Amino acid sequence: MGTLRSLLFNIAFFGWTALLCILGIPLLFAPAGWIIVVQQFWGQGTVWLLRLLVGTDYAVSGWENLPDGPFVVAAKHQSAWDTIIFFVLLERPAYVLKKELLAIPLYGLYARRAGHIAVDRKAGAKALRALLEDSRRAVADGMVPVIFPQGTRTAPGTRLPYQPGVAALYKGLDLPVVPVALNSGLFWGRRAFRKRPGTIRLEFLPAIPPGKDRAGFMAELEGAIEQATDRLSAEGLSPNP
């Protein structure tokens, strides 16, 4: 039964995505805000399909930790779900994504037009300068940069190094950084066909204020995200979360 439900979701998800990509083509010539609206609609539709067809819902805590003014989100990345949910949770997210994704037909055009931040990971220091410049522009436009500090999806229970991009944003933007922990990989694994029913948990952790040195910031960020992610993963594996 789980395989069938996952199959139905995968068909519906790709169909839903293709439909909006095609119907939204005229909006590529409209103000960027319209693209964000379509992306939010796509995100809301996707989480609805996941709930309806697979039985996977989500719960969010820590809303009180979001600053009143501009801020940066630094989130754990375990699943494709993470690239969707911030369209639902934040008014105008600006995802930091790898430049190669811009080559995807239509998707790349939408990402550019909406103001998302593409990074050439092979460009070294030049990439960090471009990341900071594009992020400043996004913040000036009222967007919230969303970065995955480890740079790629990590399976639950595994750890990868935290990359320097998040430290560059922290220092260069001089804004609070909100760490985000989640356990999405338990339910929608990397390259996994089957999705698991249950409740994905996402938690906004207390913001790290600007002004810390690089080493102190990175240690606090990694410690906060990893500790909370381990806790959420344990809750997700428990028969009575």
Side-chain angles (χ1 to χ4, degrees):
M1 187 64 176
T3 299
L4 176 60
R5 296 179 76 177
S6 295
L7 174 63
L8 291 175
F9 169 75
N10 288 331
I11 293 172
F13 170 66
F14 287 111
W16 170 243
T17 301
L19 177 64
L20 287 190
C21 279
I22 294 171
L23 293 180
I25 289 176
L27 296 179
L28 291 170
F29 305 96
W34 285 99
I35 302 295
I36 295 293
V37 170
V38 172
Q39 291 176 327
Q40 290 172 333
F41 186 51
W42 169 74
Q44 291 164 352
T46 299
V47 297
W48 180 80
L49 287 171
L50 190 62
R51 183 187 308 120
L52 176 70
L53 298 176
V54 182
T56 308
D57 206 346
Y58 69 93
V60 179
S61 59
W63 288 106
E64 68 278 4
N65 292 319
L66 296 182
D68 293 331
F71 61 94
V72 175
V73 164
K76 186 71 174 178
H77 191 16
Q78 293 185 342
S79 167
W81 182 86
D82 316 333
T83 67
I84 299 166
I85 194 60
F86 292 105
F87 286 123
V88 179
L89 303 182
L90 302 176
E91 186 174 350
R92 294 191 65 196
Y95 279 97
V96 176
L97 47 86
K98 56 186 179 182
K99 186 178 180 180
E100 293 85 343
L101 294 177
L102 298 183
I104 299 176
L106 286 182
Y107 173 87
L109 294 175
Y110 286 117
R112 288 182 186 273
R113 190 73 185 90
H116 297 293
I117 303 162
V119 176
D120 183 355
R121 295 187 292 186
K122 300 177 182 178
K126 182 179 178 181
L128 291 180
R129 289 194 295 270
L131 167 65
L132 184 55
E133 180 180 341
D134 291 343
S135 298
R136 283 179 177 144
R137 186 179 304 115
V139 171
D141 288 340
M143 303 183 78
V144 177
V146 176
I147 186 170
F148 300 114
Q150 291 172 293
T152 189
R153 285 172 290 180
T154 59
T158 64
R159 297 193 181 188
L160 291 176
Y162 278 54
Q163 301 300 315
V166 67
L169 290 188
Y170 175 73
K171 180 179 178 181
L173 296 179
D174 197 33
L175 294 175
V177 172
V178 178
V180 173
L182 45 77
N183 64 0
S184 55
L186 297 176
F187 304 89
W188 184 338
R190 183 179 186 183
R191 300 191 181 98
F193 172 81
R194 289 193 62 168
K195 279 68 178 176
R196 175 179 168 232
T199 301
I200 297 172
R201 300 187 183 278
L202 180 148
E203 184 175 343
F204 292 109
L205 303 170
I208 302 174
K212 294 179 179 291
D213 63 81
R214 182 186 185 280
F217 164 72
M218 291 295 283
E220 183 173 349
L221 179 72
E222 181 173 355
I225 291 177
E226 295 301 326
Q227 182 177 4
T229 293
D230 288 345
R231 171 171 49 79
L232 294 178
S233 294
E235 292 175 0
L237 291 171
S238 171
N240 296 299

